[in-house]
Amino acid sequence: MVRVGFLSLAHMHAYSYGHALKQLPNVELVGVFDPDQERGQEGAERMNTKYFPEASRLLTQVDAVIICSENSRHREFTELAASHGVHILCEKPIATTIEDAKAMIDACEKANVKLQIAFPVRFNTPVMRVKEMLERGVIGEVLAIRGTNHGQMPGGWFVDPELSGGGAVMDHTVHVVDLIRWFLGKEFVSVYAEADNMLYDVSIDDCGMLSMEMEGGIFVTQDPSWSRPATYPTWGNVTLEIIGTEGVIDLDAFAQNFMVYNDQQRKISQKSFTEDMDLGLIKDFIEMIEEDREPSITGFDGLQAMAVALGAYESARIKKPVQLR
Amino acid sequence: MIRVGVVGYGTMGQVHSQAFQELNDVELVVVADPDPDRRAQAQRDFGVDVVSNIEELLRSSSVDLVDICVPTYLHETVLAQAIVGNKHIFIEKPLARNLEEGQRILELAKDYDKKIGVGHVVRFTPAYTGIRESVLQGEIGQAAVARTFRGGSQFPQGWHDWYADFDLSGGVILDLIIHDIDYLRWLFGDVERVYAKTTHGRTTAHLEWAMIVLRFKNGVIAHVEGSWTNFAGDFYTTVEIAGKDGLIKYDSRETDPIVKTTLAEARAGGGVTVPENPAARSPYLLELEDMIGAIREDRAPLVTVEDALGTLKVALAAEKSARLGQVITL
Ligand SMILES: NC(=O)c1ccc[n+]([C@@H]2O[C@H](COP(=O)([O-])OP(=O)(O)OC[C@H]3O[C@@H](n4cnc5c(N)ncnc54)[C@H](O)[C@@H]3O)[C@@H](O)[C@H]2O)c1
């Protein structure tokens, strides 16, 4: 039995992870800590578990925690969990600064606890299939990739730079960068970016465009914009067009859906029948603990993805490509 | 009656020649092409006079309009001769292969008392003009992020494979997605800076994929992508424009009103499904109609040499950016 708790429910993915935990036979959801008591109590109720007013009380009763706090607080929660010898699944992005990310990785190493970063899209079934295709070399040698990770404007703490560390570029670059690093086993070496606040009355970047280079001269573009309007029938997308010397693969990770037109609510929505990737992520995390193996998505993976987003902000500021180390 | 001579009877020369048949009081009278097979074909197709080059065309026939459909690297030379002949001129995009040629064309066009129009046909393509209207009418509010794609099809087949010679055609950026650069300039105005990547030079001559990031002076961020491939595929285009109050999405693959699958085709071994997107009036007809209108009404054509040079400059900046790995500020 693996005993799991939540540290903060600020990120709404917590509920989907909680749902996944409930489906696994060998897992006990012990409880929730959240510095925001109201959110914590409500969330605990929703997930049918206990609210802990003190993090340390929860940490003495669990083997692992899932950290769904605001991005800039990932470090404090990670250090706290590590100091209690508790394994960690941390929501992406790993942190908001290189320094914080490195401190998190160090703390977990020293405490000998496992740190996994939540990049659930790696567990999307079509995504996994494409990884297989690339491994079989069906499109020859990869030359270039065009990615998008569009979304709606999330609001809340996501648009508070202090808590999120960045807007659309921070929020939506890391998934795509992580997938591509995972697909190709190569690192990003430079990034050029445009980033701006043009879509919403918020004081953070809500749109942008990245053009990056990887080891071996592969180039990648990525559109992280919160450019899906409120009327859009779904939350957004993750797409990758992978161009090889012998073919091209067009991946639309959430294309498995149907449309619903509802007159009563005057609403058009796209309903997904994609398999639950969050369940895949959580299952993998639990198995890692049970089997005492290395995390499939490490702190280093989290750091590398975040570094590209930070490089993008630097590039947008100086209007030049930025070398990534 | 406006009498027309077409120079270069390849893919575009043939499309234009057909379009001229559908215009009132316009007559295609002569076709010039150095290739005897092409000349024979023009004669068969339209029963017109044929000559082997523009000099002969100017000497032997009295035409009002010269329509230049030769490979890009020959644009300036042929256009200069048409100007000596004092004809109205329609010339395929891109205006020229490089900046020097483009600038010399602009010099020639200054004070020229006849009309010169350039074939940026996307400005006459219904989906694109419709999208532009929607944006200009404020249906999505102030635009912020635009994305375009053009390509997916087999590598173009040209005369002596000139498309595959980067020095002659300029590749995907200069030949293909210059259409979208022109369209976006028509919508959003001048470009501030360009950062571009292409697979050119990293693969065989018959595969190129390019992705350009543009920042317009009005703030709009754009991603312009296009491809020619050596693997089979169907040509398609997409446009997406996100604004403060909404989003426009277009994908040509989703707008084919007819999709036909037949036993006859299956038996013939093809077994292909053929989509059709018919239009009574093709964009090529519309652009040439505008050119004829410009001559008749003594007004400028929709796409002038200045416009086309402005677009060419952005495409060349993208080519340079890709070559040097640098941001090019215009
Ligand atoms: N607007 C569009 O959608 C579009 C599409 C394709 C091509 N184009 C442009 O049109 C132009 C022609 O392209 P294409 O695909 O028709 O080329 P093509 O290779 O199919 O045809 C070129 C023709 O020009 C002839 N030619 C060569 N030298 C000549 C000369 N000195 N005088 C007269 N004829 C000569 C060749 O024999 C050939 O028949 C290019 O600039 C291209 O970029 C535009």
Side-chain angles (χ1 to χ4, degrees):
Chain A
M1 185 65 75
V2 179
R3 299 165 306 159
V4 184
F6 278 96
L7 293 182
S8 177
L9 304 177
H11 199 297
M12 58 281 184
H13 282 170
Y15 297 101
S16 162
Y17 299 153
H19 179 70
L21 288 171
K22 291 268 148 104
Q23 294 175 63
L24 298 175
N26 43 350
V27 172
E28 185 195 347
L29 175 53
V30 176
V32 165
F33 166 76
D34 195 317
D36 178 337
Q37 185 170 341
E38 204 182 306
R39 183 173 62 204
Q41 276 170 341
E42 259 177 44
E45 215 168 292
R46 224 174 113 182
M47 288 195 265
N48 202 9
T49 186
K50 234 166 71 187
Y51 173 70
F52 286 72
E54 279 164 64
S56 54
R57 289 285 297 281
L58 174 65
L59 286 166
T60 54
Q61 297 177 37
V62 294
D63 306 302
V65 284
I66 303 178
I67 298 174
C68 287
S69 70
E70 300 84 350
N71 301 340
S72 66
R73 310 189 67 178
H74 286 171
R75 176 178 173 175
E76 70 183 75
F77 283 119
T78 299
E79 288 176 340
L80 185 66
S83 72
H84 284 78
V86 166
H87 303 301
I88 297 156
L89 176 64
C90 180
E91 183 53 46
K92 60 97 248 198
I94 183 171
T96 58
T97 65
I98 302 270
E99 192 194 340
D100 281 1
K102 285 189 170 156
M104 290 163 67
I105 294 169
D106 280 356
C108 292
E109 257 171 31
K110 287 214 183 82
N112 201 19
V113 300
K114 299 179 194 300
L115 170 62
Q116 174 157 352
I117 307 303
F119 284 125
V121 193
R122 284 201 197 187
F123 297 91
N124 167 281
T125 307
V127 162
M128 293 190 290
R129 183 61 54 87
V130 166
K131 180 155 197 293
E132 242 170 69
M133 290 175 177
L134 293 173
E135 278 161 4
R136 276 189 284 127
V138 295
I139 57 165
E141 190 194 320
V142 172
L143 296 167
I145 299 178
R146 185 232 57 218
T148 67
N149 183 191
H150 292 131
Q152 291 172 318
M153 203 275 288
W157 62 264
F158 285 90
V159 298
D160 179 346
E162 287 288 303
L163 295 172
S164 63
V169 170
M170 182 59 116
D171 193 27
H172 279 180
T173 295
V174 290
H175 283 298
V176 166
V177 163
D178 178 68
L179 284 186
I180 293 172
R181 286 184 65 249
W182 183 54
F183 278 169
L184 303 182
K186 292 192 160 86
E187 294 295 346
F188 284 80
V189 296
S190 77
V191 54
Y192 171 78
E194 298 286 351
D196 215 329
N197 164 227
M198 292 193 283
L199 290 167
Y200 292 92
D201 296 320
V202 291
S203 20
I204 206 160
D205 57 295
D206 54 21
C207 61
M209 200 70 72
L210 281 66
S211 180
M212 300 160 277
E213 230 172 87
M214 303 186 78
E215 291 166 339
I218 297 164
F219 63 85
V220 176
T221 68
Q222 153 65 3
D223 182 344
S225 306
W226 288 335
S227 53
R228 302 305 97 169
T231 49
Y232 203 66
T234 184
W235 59 270
N237 64 42
V238 173
T239 74
L240 289 176
E241 175 190 64
I242 307 167
I243 298 133
T245 48
E246 289 163 34
V248 56
I249 295 173
D250 245 316
L251 165 67
D252 180 349
F254 303 100
Q256 291 160 308
N257 63 67
F258 55 87
M259 300 301 297
V260 178
Y261 301 83
N262 181 325
D263 274 357
Q264 261 163 24
Q265 295 170 14
R266 301 192 62 77
K267 205 176 152 190
I268 301 170
S269 48
Q270 187 174 304
K271 290 281 160 64
S272 171
F273 57 90
T274 313
E275 283 169 311
D276 183 3
M277 61 183 188
D278 287 345
L279 180 59
L281 172 81
I282 297 299
K283 201 161 163 257
D284 172 73
F285 176 66
I286 298 296
E287 277 169 11
M288 168 201 57
I289 293 168
E290 287 175 332
E291 293 165 13
D292 192 22
R293 60 164 165 77
E294 285 307 300
S296 55
I297 313 169
T298 63
F300 180 72
D301 290 331
L303 169 68
Q304 291 300 87
M306 180 198 64
V308 175
L310 293 177
Y313 284 118
E314 171 69 1
S315 167
R317 198 175 60 74
I318 64 171
K319 302 182 173 64
K320 278 190 191 124
V322 165
Q323 299 302 312
L324 300 162
R325 258 164 309 155
Chain B
M1 176 68 71
I2 291 177
R3 293 160 57 85
V4 181
V6 165
V7 186
Y9 198 66
T11 308
M12 276 303 110
Q14 293 168 37
V15 168
H16 288 197
S17 296
Q18 181 56 46
F20 285 123
Q21 310 303 311
E22 290 161 46
L23 290 169
N24 288 331
D25 294 322
V26 174
E27 192 186 1
L28 175 68
V29 293
V30 59
V31 165
D33 199 300
D35 181 333
D37 292 343
R38 292 285 161 86
R39 289 202 296 274
Q41 192 188 337
Q43 245 171 346
R44 268 199 314 277
D45 291 345
F46 300 111
V48 291
D49 288 343
V50 288
V51 293
S52 52
N53 54 47
I54 175 118
E55 293 95 329
E56 252 183 84
L57 182 150
L58 293 170
R59 239 183 292 123
S60 68
S61 333
S62 68
V63 299
D64 306 295
L65 170 65
V66 169
D67 179 3
I68 302 173
C69 298
V70 297
T72 303
Y73 66 99
L74 297 171
H75 281 189
E76 186 206 357
T77 321
V78 175
L79 181 132
Q81 284 164 311
I83 285 195
V84 172
N86 198 35
K87 305 298 182 191
H88 296 293
I89 297 166
F90 188 79
I91 182 160
E92 259 304 340
K93 52 45 65 181
L95 183 63
R97 171 61 187 90
N98 58 47
L99 191 59
E100 295 69 38
E101 292 168 3
Q103 247 139 9
R104 285 198 296 265
I105 292 176
L106 184 69
E107 279 307 307
L108 291 173
K110 261 189 206 151
D111 309 322
Y112 188 52
D113 63 347
K114 295 277 163 58
K115 309 295 175 196
I116 307 181
V118 187
H120 280 294
V121 69
V122 172
R123 296 200 199 186
F124 295 90
T125 304
Y128 287 75
T129 50
I131 290 168
R132 181 167 180 269
E133 283 301 303
S134 283
V135 172
L136 295 182
Q137 281 164 15
E139 287 194 66
I140 56 162
Q142 178 62 51
V145 188
R147 307 181 60 83
T148 66
F149 177 87
R150 179 172 304 273
S153 60
Q154 287 269 352
F155 200 89
Q157 294 184 343
W159 182 65
H160 296 304
D161 206 16
W162 69 273
Y163 280 107
D165 186 335
F166 193 79
D167 291 340
L168 304 185
S169 72
V172 160
I173 293 175
L174 199 77
D175 195 83
L176 185 65
I177 53 183
I178 195 167
H179 281 299
D180 301 291
I181 293 173
D182 181 70
Y183 175 68
L184 294 172
R185 285 185 71 247
W186 191 41
L187 246 177
F188 302 129
D190 288 336
V191 170
E192 170 92 34
R193 58 179 173 270
V194 183
Y195 187 73
K197 295 281 178 200
T198 165
T199 62
H200 167 66
R202 299 204 41 230
T203 171
T204 71
H206 289 102
L207 170 65
E208 187 185 355
W209 216 288
M211 301 181 199
I212 308 173
V213 178
L214 296 176
R215 190 73 195 254
F216 286 81
K217 291 214 161 84
N218 77 349
V220 168
I221 297 168
H223 185 275
V224 179
E225 179 188 2
S227 70
W228 286 333
T229 73
N230 52 358
F231 23 90
D234 289 326
F235 178 78
Y236 70 98
T237 72
T238 68
V239 180
E240 186 182 290
I241 305 175
K244 229 171 155 23
D245 303 317
L247 176 75
I248 290 174
K249 262 171 88 73
Y250 165 74
D251 186 327
S252 65
R253 291 168 296 188
E254 291 162 3
T255 66
D256 291 316
I258 305 168
V259 177
K260 170 166 113 315
T261 313
T262 65
L263 189 56
E265 274 152 7
R267 280 196 180 128
V272 284
T273 298
V274 185
E276 279 186 51
N277 208 323
R281 296 163 57 72
S282 83
Y284 298 104
L285 176 62
L286 297 174
E287 73 174 352
L288 293 169
E289 187 174 61
D290 171 70
M291 183 66 205
I292 298 293
I295 297 170
R296 290 209 175 109
E297 296 152 25
D298 191 19
R299 59 163 172 85
L302 181 62
V303 188
T304 63
V305 168
E306 288 93 321
D307 275 352
L309 182 60
T311 293
L312 179 68
K313 282 181 181 163
V314 177
L316 291 170
E319 186 194 322
K320 186 171 165 190
S321 167
R323 194 172 62 243
L324 302 179
Q326 290 171 5
V327 181
I328 307 294
T329 303
L330 285 137

mmCIF file of all heavy atoms in Angstrom, chain B residues 107-137:
data_model
loop_
_atom_site.group_PDB
_atom_site.id
_atom_site.type_symbol
_atom_site.label_atom_id
_atom_site.label_comp_id
_atom_site.label_asym_id
_atom_site.label_seq_id
_atom_site.Cartn_x
_atom_site.Cartn_y
_atom_site.Cartn_z
ATOM 1 N N GLU B 107 12.593 50.675 -60.140
ATOM 2 C CA GLU B 107 13.095 51.826 -60.899
ATOM 3 C C GLU B 107 12.409 51.914 -62.259
ATOM 4 O O GLU B 107 11.953 52.978 -62.668
ATOM 5 C CB GLU B 107 14.614 51.706 -61.111
ATOM 6 C CG GLU B 107 15.437 52.147 -59.911
ATOM 7 C CD GLU B 107 15.055 53.539 -59.434
ATOM 8 O OE1 GLU B 107 15.041 54.476 -60.277
ATOM 9 O OE2 GLU B 107 14.733 53.686 -58.227
ATOM 10 N N LEU B 108 12.362 50.753 -62.930
ATOM 11 C CA LEU B 108 11.745 50.709 -64.260
ATOM 12 C C LEU B 108 10.258 51.080 -64.190
ATOM 13 O O LEU B 108 9.712 51.702 -65.096
ATOM 14 C CB LEU B 108 11.879 49.310 -64.869
ATOM 15 C CG LEU B 108 13.288 48.853 -65.265
ATOM 16 C CD1 LEU B 108 13.265 47.385 -65.693
ATOM 17 C CD2 LEU B 108 13.835 49.719 -66.404
ATOM 18 N N ALA B 109 9.621 50.687 -63.085
ATOM 19 C CA ALA B 109 8.175 50.893 -62.968
ATOM 20 C C ALA B 109 7.828 52.347 -62.660
ATOM 21 O O ALA B 109 6.731 52.807 -62.967
ATOM 22 C CB ALA B 109 7.614 49.978 -61.885
ATOM 23 N N LYS B 110 8.789 53.052 -62.054
ATOM 24 C CA LYS B 110 8.561 54.472 -61.729
ATOM 25 C C LYS B 110 8.353 55.231 -63.034
ATOM 26 O O LYS B 110 9.091 55.034 -63.981
ATOM 27 C CB LYS B 110 9.809 55.043 -61.024
ATOM 28 C CG LYS B 110 9.662 55.094 -59.521
ATOM 29 C CD LYS B 110 10.809 55.854 -58.895
ATOM 30 C CE LYS B 110 11.000 55.375 -57.474
ATOM 31 N NZ LYS B 110 12.393 55.515 -57.044
ATOM 32 N N ASP B 111 7.379 56.095 -63.073
ATOM 33 C CA ASP B 111 7.108 56.919 -64.254
ATOM 34 C C ASP B 111 6.729 56.115 -65.500
ATOM 35 O O ASP B 111 6.646 56.669 -66.584
ATOM 36 C CB ASP B 111 8.320 57.810 -64.627
ATOM 37 C CG ASP B 111 8.821 58.597 -63.441
ATOM 38 O OD1 ASP B 111 7.971 59.059 -62.647
ATOM 39 O OD2 ASP B 111 10.051 58.736 -63.300
ATOM 40 N N TYR B 112 6.569 54.802 -65.353
ATOM 41 C CA TYR B 112 6.120 54.013 -66.509
ATOM 42 C C TYR B 112 4.647 54.335 -66.730
ATOM 43 O O TYR B 112 3.860 54.343 -65.783
ATOM 44 C CB TYR B 112 6.312 52.520 -66.197
ATOM 45 C CG TYR B 112 6.076 51.577 -67.360
ATOM 46 C CD1 TYR B 112 6.712 51.769 -68.584
ATOM 47 C CD2 TYR B 112 5.227 50.486 -67.218
ATOM 48 C CE1 TYR B 112 6.505 50.894 -69.635
ATOM 49 C CE2 TYR B 112 5.021 49.597 -68.272
ATOM 50 C CZ TYR B 112 5.667 49.814 -69.482
ATOM 51 O OH TYR B 112 5.461 48.942 -70.525
ATOM 52 N N ASP B 113 4.258 54.593 -67.963
ATOM 53 C CA ASP B 113 2.880 55.053 -68.168
ATOM 54 C C ASP B 113 1.899 53.915 -68.430
ATOM 55 O O ASP B 113 0.741 54.152 -68.729
ATOM 56 C CB ASP B 113 2.817 56.112 -69.273
ATOM 57 C CG ASP B 113 3.259 55.551 -70.609
ATOM 58 O OD1 ASP B 113 3.839 54.434 -70.614
ATOM 59 O OD2 ASP B 113 3.030 56.203 -71.639
ATOM 60 N N LYS B 114 2.387 52.667 -68.322
ATOM 61 C CA LYS B 114 1.474 51.538 -68.451
ATOM 62 C C LYS B 114 1.359 50.830 -67.102
ATOM 63 O O LYS B 114 2.150 51.100 -66.188
ATOM 64 C CB LYS B 114 2.004 50.566 -69.529
ATOM 65 C CG LYS B 114 2.028 51.176 -70.927
ATOM 66 C CD LYS B 114 0.665 51.072 -71.585
ATOM 67 C CE LYS B 114 0.461 51.997 -72.782
ATOM 68 N NZ LYS B 114 1.405 51.833 -73.880
ATOM 69 N N LYS B 115 0.395 49.935 -66.986
ATOM 70 C CA LYS B 115 0.149 49.262 -65.691
ATOM 71 C C LYS B 115 1.054 48.044 -65.501
ATOM 72 O O LYS B 115 1.313 47.311 -66.457
ATOM 73 C CB LYS B 115 -1.306 48.771 -65.607
ATOM 74 C CG LYS B 115 -2.343 49.825 -65.923
ATOM 75 C CD LYS B 115 -2.320 50.938 -64.908
ATOM 76 C CE LYS B 115 -3.280 52.044 -65.329
ATOM 77 N NZ LYS B 115 -3.005 53.292 -64.596
ATOM 78 N N ILE B 116 1.472 47.844 -64.252
ATOM 79 C CA ILE B 116 2.175 46.602 -63.905
ATOM 80 C C ILE B 116 1.494 45.995 -62.676
ATOM 81 O O ILE B 116 1.378 46.652 -61.629
ATOM 82 C CB ILE B 116 3.668 46.836 -63.582
ATOM 83 C CG1 ILE B 116 4.370 47.616 -64.711
ATOM 84 C CG2 ILE B 116 4.367 45.494 -63.332
ATOM 85 C CD1 ILE B 116 5.853 47.869 -64.475
ATOM 86 N N GLY B 117 1.055 44.760 -62.808
ATOM 87 C CA GLY B 117 0.435 44.053 -61.681
ATOM 88 C C GLY B 117 1.221 42.786 -61.368
ATOM 89 O O GLY B 117 1.869 42.212 -62.243
ATOM 90 N N VAL B 118 1.168 42.374 -60.101
ATOM 91 C CA VAL B 118 1.938 41.198 -59.674
ATOM 92 C C VAL B 118 0.982 40.123 -59.136
ATOM 93 O O VAL B 118 0.023 40.432 -58.430
ATOM 94 C CB VAL B 118 2.987 41.583 -58.600
ATOM 95 C CG1 VAL B 118 3.895 40.390 -58.296
ATOM 96 C CG2 VAL B 118 3.813 42.786 -59.050
ATOM 97 N N GLY B 119 1.303 38.861 -59.447
ATOM 98 C CA GLY B 119 0.380 37.761 -59.171
ATOM 99 C C GLY B 119 0.372 37.201 -57.759
ATOM 100 O O GLY B 119 0.582 36.008 -57.578
ATOM 101 N N HIS B 120 0.123 38.056 -56.790
ATOM 102 C CA HIS B 120 -0.068 37.529 -55.425
ATOM 103 C C HIS B 120 -1.524 37.105 -55.277
ATOM 104 O O HIS B 120 -2.367 37.806 -54.732
ATOM 105 C CB HIS B 120 0.352 38.569 -54.380
ATOM 106 C CG HIS B 120 1.835 38.586 -54.191
ATOM 107 N ND1 HIS B 120 2.514 37.523 -53.655
ATOM 108 C CD2 HIS B 120 2.763 39.517 -54.487
ATOM 109 C CE1 HIS B 120 3.812 37.800 -53.622
ATOM 110 N NE2 HIS B 120 3.993 39.000 -54.128
ATOM 111 N N VAL B 121 -1.777 35.912 -55.773
ATOM 112 C CA VAL B 121 -3.137 35.438 -56.027
ATOM 113 C C VAL B 121 -3.938 35.174 -54.751
ATOM 114 O O VAL B 121 -5.172 35.159 -54.777
ATOM 115 C CB VAL B 121 -3.077 34.173 -56.928
ATOM 116 C CG1 VAL B 121 -2.485 32.994 -56.173
ATOM 117 C CG2 VAL B 121 -4.435 33.839 -57.498
ATOM 118 N N VAL B 122 -3.224 35.031 -53.619
ATOM 119 C CA VAL B 122 -3.955 34.762 -52.374
ATOM 120 C C VAL B 122 -4.885 35.937 -52.034
ATOM 121 O O VAL B 122 -5.930 35.764 -51.414
ATOM 122 C CB VAL B 122 -2.963 34.448 -51.229
ATOM 123 C CG1 VAL B 122 -3.669 34.356 -49.893
ATOM 124 C CG2 VAL B 122 -2.244 33.136 -51.524
ATOM 125 N N ARG B 123 -4.508 37.122 -52.491
ATOM 126 C CA ARG B 123 -5.376 38.284 -52.256
ATOM 127 C C ARG B 123 -6.692 38.197 -53.035
ATOM 128 O O ARG B 123 -7.558 39.055 -52.897
ATOM 129 C CB ARG B 123 -4.653 39.569 -52.664
ATOM 130 C CG ARG B 123 -3.436 39.872 -51.838
ATOM 131 C CD ARG B 123 -3.115 41.339 -51.970
ATOM 132 N NE ARG B 123 -1.749 41.656 -51.584
ATOM 133 C CZ ARG B 123 -1.295 42.897 -51.508
ATOM 134 N NH1 ARG B 123 -2.082 43.915 -51.829
ATOM 135 N NH2 ARG B 123 -0.054 43.121 -51.149
ATOM 136 N N PHE B 124 -6.789 37.175 -53.881
ATOM 137 C CA PHE B 124 -8.026 36.967 -54.649
ATOM 138 C C PHE B 124 -8.680 35.635 -54.314
ATOM 139 O O PHE B 124 -9.556 35.177 -55.021
ATOM 140 C CB PHE B 124 -7.715 37.030 -56.151
ATOM 141 C CG PHE B 124 -7.236 38.384 -56.591
ATOM 142 C CD1 PHE B 124 -5.880 38.694 -56.575
ATOM 143 C CD2 PHE B 124 -8.146 39.353 -56.991
ATOM 144 C CE1 PHE B 124 -5.443 39.950 -56.962
ATOM 145 C CE2 PHE B 124 -7.719 40.614 -57.382
ATOM 146 C CZ PHE B 124 -6.355 40.918 -57.366
ATOM 147 N N THR B 125 -8.197 34.999 -53.263
ATOM 148 C CA THR B 125 -8.698 33.672 -52.902
ATOM 149 C C THR B 125 -9.810 33.835 -51.866
ATOM 150 O O THR B 125 -9.578 34.419 -50.803
ATOM 151 C CB THR B 125 -7.530 32.813 -52.365
ATOM 152 O OG1 THR B 125 -6.512 32.789 -53.367
ATOM 153 C CG2 THR B 125 -7.964 31.413 -52.051
ATOM 154 N N PRO B 126 -11.024 33.350 -52.180
ATOM 155 C CA PRO B 126 -12.197 33.687 -51.372
ATOM 156 C C PRO B 126 -12.052 33.441 -49.861
ATOM 157 O O PRO B 126 -12.456 34.286 -49.065
ATOM 158 C CB PRO B 126 -13.292 32.807 -51.973
ATOM 159 C CG PRO B 126 -12.882 32.634 -53.393
ATOM 160 C CD PRO B 126 -11.380 32.581 -53.383
ATOM 161 N N ALA B 127 -11.488 32.314 -49.468
ATOM 162 C CA ALA B 127 -11.361 32.072 -48.027
ATOM 163 C C ALA B 127 -10.516 33.177 -47.393
ATOM 164 O O ALA B 127 -10.818 33.682 -46.308
ATOM 165 C CB ALA B 127 -10.709 30.713 -47.773
ATOM 166 N N TYR B 128 -9.468 33.570 -48.099
ATOM 167 C CA TYR B 128 -8.527 34.550 -47.548
ATOM 168 C C TYR B 128 -9.106 35.960 -47.542
ATOM 169 O O TYR B 128 -8.923 36.717 -46.592
ATOM 170 C CB TYR B 128 -7.197 34.489 -48.313
ATOM 171 C CG TYR B 128 -6.411 33.248 -47.952
ATOM 172 C CD1 TYR B 128 -6.791 31.992 -48.437
ATOM 173 C CD2 TYR B 128 -5.319 33.307 -47.089
ATOM 174 C CE1 TYR B 128 -6.101 30.846 -48.083
ATOM 175 C CE2 TYR B 128 -4.624 32.168 -46.728
ATOM 176 C CZ TYR B 128 -5.021 30.937 -47.226
ATOM 177 O OH TYR B 128 -4.346 29.807 -46.861
ATOM 178 N N THR B 129 -9.849 36.312 -48.592
ATOM 179 C CA THR B 129 -10.456 37.640 -48.602
ATOM 180 C C THR B 129 -11.569 37.687 -47.549
ATOM 181 O O THR B 129 -11.750 38.700 -46.876
ATOM 182 C CB THR B 129 -10.998 38.010 -49.991
ATOM 183 O OG1 THR B 129 -11.814 36.940 -50.471
ATOM 184 C CG2 THR B 129 -9.878 38.223 -50.979
ATOM 185 N N GLY B 130 -12.263 36.557 -47.383
ATOM 186 C CA GLY B 130 -13.320 36.497 -46.368
ATOM 187 C C GLY B 130 -12.748 36.672 -44.966
ATOM 188 O O GLY B 130 -13.283 37.434 -44.148
ATOM 189 N N ILE B 131 -11.656 35.984 -44.696
ATOM 190 C CA ILE B 131 -11.024 36.093 -43.374
ATOM 191 C C ILE B 131 -10.575 37.537 -43.137
ATOM 192 O O ILE B 131 -10.769 38.102 -42.061
ATOM 193 C CB ILE B 131 -9.820 35.122 -43.277
ATOM 194 C CG1 ILE B 131 -10.324 33.672 -43.225
ATOM 195 C CG2 ILE B 131 -8.948 35.454 -42.066
ATOM 196 C CD1 ILE B 131 -9.242 32.627 -43.409
ATOM 197 N N ARG B 132 -10.014 38.136 -44.188
ATOM 198 C CA ARG B 132 -9.535 39.510 -44.035
ATOM 199 C C ARG B 132 -10.697 40.452 -43.689
ATOM 200 O O ARG B 132 -10.587 41.287 -42.787
ATOM 201 C CB ARG B 132 -8.852 39.963 -45.322
ATOM 202 C CG ARG B 132 -8.303 41.378 -45.251
ATOM 203 C CD ARG B 132 -7.382 41.643 -46.429
ATOM 204 N NE ARG B 132 -6.833 42.991 -46.389
ATOM 205 C CZ ARG B 132 -7.413 44.032 -46.983
ATOM 206 N NH1 ARG B 132 -8.543 43.877 -47.647
ATOM 207 N NH2 ARG B 132 -6.855 45.228 -46.904
ATOM 208 N N GLU B 133 -11.819 40.269 -44.401
ATOM 209 C CA GLU B 133 -12.993 41.089 -44.104
ATOM 210 C C GLU B 133 -13.407 40.946 -42.640
ATOM 211 O O GLU B 133 -13.678 41.929 -41.954
ATOM 212 C CB GLU B 133 -14.171 40.651 -44.994
ATOM 213 C CG GLU B 133 -14.096 41.140 -46.413
ATOM 214 C CD GLU B 133 -14.039 42.660 -46.477
ATOM 215 O OE1 GLU B 133 -14.964 43.304 -45.939
ATOM 216 O OE2 GLU B 133 -13.043 43.194 -47.037
ATOM 217 N N SER B 134 -13.451 39.698 -42.168
ATOM 218 C CA SER B 134 -13.857 39.455 -40.779
ATOM 219 C C SER B 134 -12.931 40.168 -39.804
ATOM 220 O O SER B 134 -13.373 40.770 -38.831
ATOM 221 C CB SER B 134 -13.842 37.958 -40.468
ATOM 222 O OG SER B 134 -14.971 37.340 -41.018
ATOM 223 N N VAL B 135 -11.639 40.087 -40.073
ATOM 224 C CA VAL B 135 -10.673 40.737 -39.178
ATOM 225 C C VAL B 135 -10.865 42.253 -39.222
ATOM 226 O O VAL B 135 -10.945 42.917 -38.184
ATOM 227 C CB VAL B 135 -9.217 40.369 -39.554
ATOM 228 C CG1 VAL B 135 -8.224 41.193 -38.744
ATOM 229 C CG2 VAL B 135 -8.979 38.876 -39.346
ATOM 230 N N LEU B 136 -10.985 42.790 -40.445
ATOM 231 C CA LEU B 136 -11.093 44.242 -40.576
ATOM 232 C C LEU B 136 -12.405 44.768 -39.989
ATOM 233 O O LEU B 136 -12.472 45.886 -39.499
ATOM 234 C CB LEU B 136 -10.960 44.664 -42.048
ATOM 235 C CG LEU B 136 -9.588 44.378 -42.678
ATOM 236 C CD1 LEU B 136 -9.542 44.863 -44.120
ATOM 237 C CD2 LEU B 136 -8.446 45.017 -41.866
ATOM 238 N N GLN B 137 -13.444 43.924 -40.017
ATOM 239 C CA GLN B 137 -14.713 44.340 -39.415
ATOM 240 C C GLN B 137 -14.713 44.176 -37.901
ATOM 241 O O GLN B 137 -15.720 44.424 -37.246
ATOM 242 C CB GLN B 137 -15.868 43.547 -40.030
ATOM 243 C CG GLN B 137 -16.270 44.079 -41.404
ATOM 244 C CD GLN B 137 -17.120 43.083 -42.175
ATOM 245 O OE1 GLN B 137 -17.636 42.124 -41.607
ATOM 246 N NE2 GLN B 137 -17.261 43.323 -43.471
#
